[in-house]
Amino acid sequence: FPVTISKIDFKKAWWRVIGLQKNDLAIALSGEVLSGIFSPLRVIALGYIFSVQRFDYFLYLFGIWGLIYAWGYIGRLFATLVKVRAVYSVQYHAHKFLLQVDPIYHTNRVSGVLLGKIDRASKSYEEFLQTFFFDLVELPIAIITVLISLSFYSVFLSLFVAFLFGFCIVTGK
């Protein structure tokens, strides 16, 4: 996939760089959401398949798992594209702006401090998107899936675990 540079207006909100890529972002998020839902359910499905001893169910599960795994791979590819496009767009337009303002000054002078700030700003997009895609999206979905799965066995157990999760989130312990 070629990485295209998005048009950036530095006078607008910082998240607009990411919002311009809404189609790629949707594909990336859908891959992470499906993976987050299926990961905890895979173990439950295997337990059910072993209890009913149906090999055709195992083949169905294996096929669904393969499709979700492939879609998760495509989602991670698009997540990487979103990250790289955001980083390179910020770097490109910041350097372009500096060279338009005063090209002689910025090409002849070692402006390491300014270039370092541009690099840190663009890398912060990468860190944010990395955390967003692979931590903030997948974890709540997996927790909700586990709570729903637990409720099929025991509603009380599901509510108790939800209370413990809530307590840990509120208290930070």
Side-chain angles (χ1 to χ4, degrees):
F1 288 86
V3 175
T4 56
I5 303 293
S6 301
K7 180 84 172 125
I8 295 179
D9 184 5
F10 288 112
K11 295 175 185 160
K12 299 203 175 179
W14 64 269
W15 51 263
R16 187 161 167 74
V17 176
I18 301 164
L20 291 172
Q21 308 175 56
K22 54 184 153 271
N23 293 337
D24 295 343
L25 190 63
I27 293 171
L29 284 175
S30 67
E32 287 302 312
V33 166
L34 282 175
S35 295
I37 290 172
F38 188 72
S39 291
L41 291 180
R42 185 177 52 220
V43 176
I44 295 170
L46 278 173
Y48 176 75
I49 290 169
F50 291 143
S51 69
V52 296
Q53 298 179 355
R54 295 274 311 261
F55 187 71
D56 57 333
Y57 287 180
F58 176 74
L59 293 177
Y60 296 143
L61 177 68
F62 188 73
I64 292 170
W65 176 76
L67 290 173
I68 290 176
Y69 187 78
W71 188 254
Y73 179 78
I74 291 169
R76 285 187 294 279
L77 175 69
F78 276 88
T80 302
L81 282 175
V82 169
K83 287 189 307 186
V84 168
R85 193 175 294 137
V87 169
Y88 287 155
S89 295
V90 169
Q91 286 180 344
Y92 173 76
H93 285 291
H95 287 103
K96 181 180 171 187
F97 175 76
L98 287 177
L99 292 177
Q100 285 176 344
V101 170
D102 192 356
I104 296 172
Y105 178 75
H106 289 292
T107 54
N108 291 332
R109 180 177 179 267
V110 178
S111 47
V113 173
L114 192 56
L115 296 179
K117 288 182 180 183
I118 292 170
D119 286 342
R120 279 193 303 277
S122 61
K123 295 297 181 189
S124 66
Y125 276 98
E126 182 179 12
E127 288 294 322
F128 169 74
L129 289 170
Q130 179 76 21
T131 303
F132 177 74
F133 281 124
F134 300 116
D135 294 335
L136 294 179
V137 170
E138 194 168 329
L139 184 63
I141 290 170
I143 289 172
I144 290 170
T145 305
V146 166
L147 290 175
I148 291 171
S149 301
L150 278 176
S151 69
F152 286 115
Y153 294 107
S154 170
V155 175
F156 176 74
L157 179 62
S158 178
L159 291 174
F160 181 70
V161 171
F163 172 75
L164 288 178
F165 276 135
F167 180 76
C168 291
I169 289 170
V170 170
T171 61
K173 295 181 181 184

